[in-house]
Amino acid sequence: MSPGKQASESDAAPPMAAGARLEKMRRRVRLSRLALFTAIAAGPVALGIAVMSGPTTVAAAPSDKPATVRSAAAAADPAGYAQVFVDAWLRSSADDANSAQARLAQSLAPDVDLPDPVASAQPDPAAVTAVRSAQREDGEWSVTVAAQYADGRLRYFVVPVTADASGASFTVTGAPGAVAGPARAGVGKSPYGVSVPSDGDLSLAVGEFFGAYLTGAGEVDRYLAPGVKLSPVSPAPYTAVAVQRVSAVEEAAAAGKVPADGTAVRVLVQVEARDSGGRWPLGYELTLKARSGRWEVAALESGTAQDGGVR
């Protein structure tokens, strides 16, 4: 082979190798895009895995049953829909099928008959509330609705509801059935087993805090631990507040002296609030911390987060 030919072949080799590498890079990009789009369709968890791991071959585990993917929309609770239907159904009459309530009930449940009450035999309900819903199978729900009357009577109805595949549309598929109300759940022993003296530093601090929080008597901030933010109820709903009882989880809450800085206690406070309409027994759960010889409110347990100081 001539030297010139050898040189020519040597010069041609690098472009071919570069082309092969470029093709491999393109193939990897296509695989990455495919994995990313698949992860987006599968959900946020799969998307996070795809981003962290790059293109990966995943083998599906064998299963005798087809996998079922249920979206949040498909599992939408129709409790509100059933509540609106029962309210309209109880206020309607077969003798007046063109009334607004009858038309509403029929639009929500086209195949359900209207009631036929005797005139003035039963007043309209004062309030109707959905109290329980259970999904029996895909798209099929059972909703229990309570109807409260002004004379104190309380009746419960169970309503069958069907949801479409998207979970955005519902239909009541059968007449309401009168049922017994839900059983009352048992209550465990309260963790607040320590009685706190009514004339102790902790009870006095709690009383001053609620005076500011519920009546506007003073600034709430002066009773809060550092870093805690809590806005008073505004406008102030009560004119006076008195602490009736304080119970705690920790023994430190009942001590005669304020303990060392940083000591935290959880307490249950029963207060009596008064306004022009009467007196109102209220209950609160608080977390207090000791600092510089005084108790400060570190958290107000209310079930929702507000201003960073309410949990």
Side-chain angles (χ1 to χ4, degrees):
M1 183 179 296
S2 65
K5 186 175 182 180
Q6 291 178 350
S8 176
E9 289 177 351
S10 176
D11 293 341
M16 292 176 63
R21 288 195 299 270
L22 180 59
E23 181 59 27
K24 288 182 179 179
M25 292 177 64
R26 289 173 177 170
R27 188 178 299 113
R28 289 178 180 174
V29 170
R30 288 195 296 269
L31 288 173
S32 297
R33 289 176 177 173
L34 177 60
L36 183 59
F37 294 151
T38 302
I40 291 173
V45 175
L47 176 59
I49 295 173
V51 171
M52 295 298 294
S53 62
T56 307
T57 301
V58 179
S63 175
D64 295 333
K65 296 181 180 180
T68 301
V69 179
R70 182 176 298 170
S71 66
D77 191 336
Y81 189 92
Q83 175 180 317
V84 172
F85 163 72
V86 171
D87 187 76
W89 187 79
L90 290 172
R91 298 175 190 276
S92 62
S93 171
D95 291 336
D96 189 7
N98 291 322
S99 69
Q101 295 295 337
R103 292 198 306 271
L104 175 58
Q106 290 174 326
S107 69
L108 301 175
D111 298 327
V112 174
D113 293 335
L114 296 175
D116 190 16
V118 176
S120 302
Q122 177 174 301
D124 291 338
V128 176
T129 306
V131 295
R132 181 179 181 272
S133 59
Q135 188 171 13
R136 298 183 297 186
E137 55 186 73
D138 286 347
E140 301 295 329
W141 291 76
S142 177
V143 182
T144 302
V145 178
Q148 182 180 3
Y149 294 86
D151 60 4
R153 286 178 300 131
L154 186 62
R155 291 184 175 177
Y156 294 90
F157 299 90
V158 63
V159 184
V161 182
T162 294
D164 67 2
S166 68
S169 300
F170 305 105
T171 301
V172 174
T173 56
V179 295
R184 187 167 56 186
V187 180
K189 183 179 179 181
S190 172
Y192 298 99
V194 178
S195 180
V196 178
S198 59
D199 57 352
D201 290 338
L202 190 146
S203 293
L204 295 176
V206 167
E208 292 176 355
F209 163 73
F210 280 112
Y213 184 67
L214 296 174
T215 72
E219 297 293 330
V220 170
D221 291 349
R222 64 178 297 187
Y223 305 105
L224 303 180
V228 176
K229 295 181 180 180
L230 182 63
S231 300
V233 180
S234 181
Y238 305 108
T239 56
V241 173
V243 174
Q244 301 297 303
R245 185 171 63 256
V246 181
S247 304
V249 176
E250 297 83 5
E251 291 286 348
K257 296 182 178 180
V258 178
D261 286 5
T263 301
V265 296
R266 293 161 292 169
V267 299
L268 175 64
V269 183
Q270 305 292 335
V271 303
E272 181 183 276
R274 292 183 176 271
D275 62 9
S276 59
R279 67 177 186 85
W280 312 96
L282 307 175
Y284 296 90
E285 291 179 276
L286 297 174
T287 298
L288 295 99
K289 286 186 177 180
R291 186 174 74 95
S292 301
R294 63 191 294 261
W295 287 106
E296 297 176 329
V297 175
L300 170 63
E301 307 288 344
S302 69
T304 57
Q306 175 186 335
D307 293 340
V310 181
R311 297 188 304 185

